[in-house]
Each structure stands twice: as structure tokens, then as C-alpha cells.
Amino acid sequence: MLDTVIPPALGELHPVIEVLAVLADAFPMLPGPVEVGRVVTRTTVALGIRVELHTTFADFEAWRTALDVAPTDVEHLPLATVQTLRAYGVFHGVPVVVTAYGPVFALAQAA
């Protein structure tokens, strides 16, 4: 039998939404889109913020810097024609997962 995942109620998301507002005030130029809800971190599933970037790796770098994630802590998942970068951060106690997708040659351009 599969466990049913119940979406969080709006009230449960209140602390995450407040942190999102603080993040938006501190870093208003960070690119979106941004989703609030359950996120999969390296160790658990928790209420947090998810950012999925299909733009540039420079946008990913802006998020990584804002969240103070060390470059050595970024996951790099290369495939033949597409690569993924993922950073797990925490902002005011709320987990933030940032994922960027792009072509293989784009990493050299972002540096």
C-alpha cells in the first residue's frame, strides 16, 4: 500500500512564506520561478522553498551566493547533452533547494 502524500495546509506554509518575503527583501533581483511547499533535501522531506532554473548558470550562481552555499557543496549531474547543478541551502532556518538545467557548454560560459 502506498502512503498518500497530503499537501500542506496554507497555515503550515506561513513560516516558509514569511522567510520567502525576507529573502525577497534581502535579494530582490534573484530570478524565479520559486515554489513553496515540500522539498527534498539531502536528508529529509521538509516544508521549504524550491527554485528550478531553466535560464542560465549565472542565475544559479546568484542563488548559490545568496544562500552562502560553497562551490564544493554543489552537486553536478552531467549527462551527454544536458547538465544539472543543485545546491541545498538554508535561509533563516528554512531549506532552499536550487536546481539549474542547461547545455553542457554553458558551464564554461558562466565562469
Side-chain angles (χ1 to χ4, degrees):
M1 181 173 174
L2 296 174
D3 290 332
T4 303
V5 176
I6 299 171
L10 190 57
E12 292 175 278
L13 294 173
H14 189 266
V16 179
I17 294 168
E18 283 184 338
V19 168
L20 183 59
V22 171
L23 187 61
D25 286 342
F27 304 100
M29 299 308 292
L30 287 175
V34 176
E35 297 177 22
V36 173
R38 289 195 191 347
V39 297
V40 178
T41 71
R42 285 187 171 136
T43 58
T44 190
V45 176
L47 292 178
I49 299 166
R50 180 176 40 255
V51 182
E52 301 265 336
L53 300 168
H54 296 270
T55 54
T56 69
F57 288 115
D59 289 345
F60 176 85
E61 279 298 298
W63 274 97
R64 185 193 62 74
T65 301
L67 297 172
D68 198 29
V69 174
T72 55
D73 290 335
V74 172
E75 291 180 359
H76 178 222
L77 309 161
L79 297 173
T81 59
V82 176
Q83 58 189 329
T84 303
L85 298 178
R86 184 166 294 127
Y88 300 92
V90 176
F91 192 81
H92 291 259
V94 171
V96 182
V97 179
V98 182
T99 307
Y101 307 93
V104 172
F105 66 88
L107 261 184
Q109 293 174 343

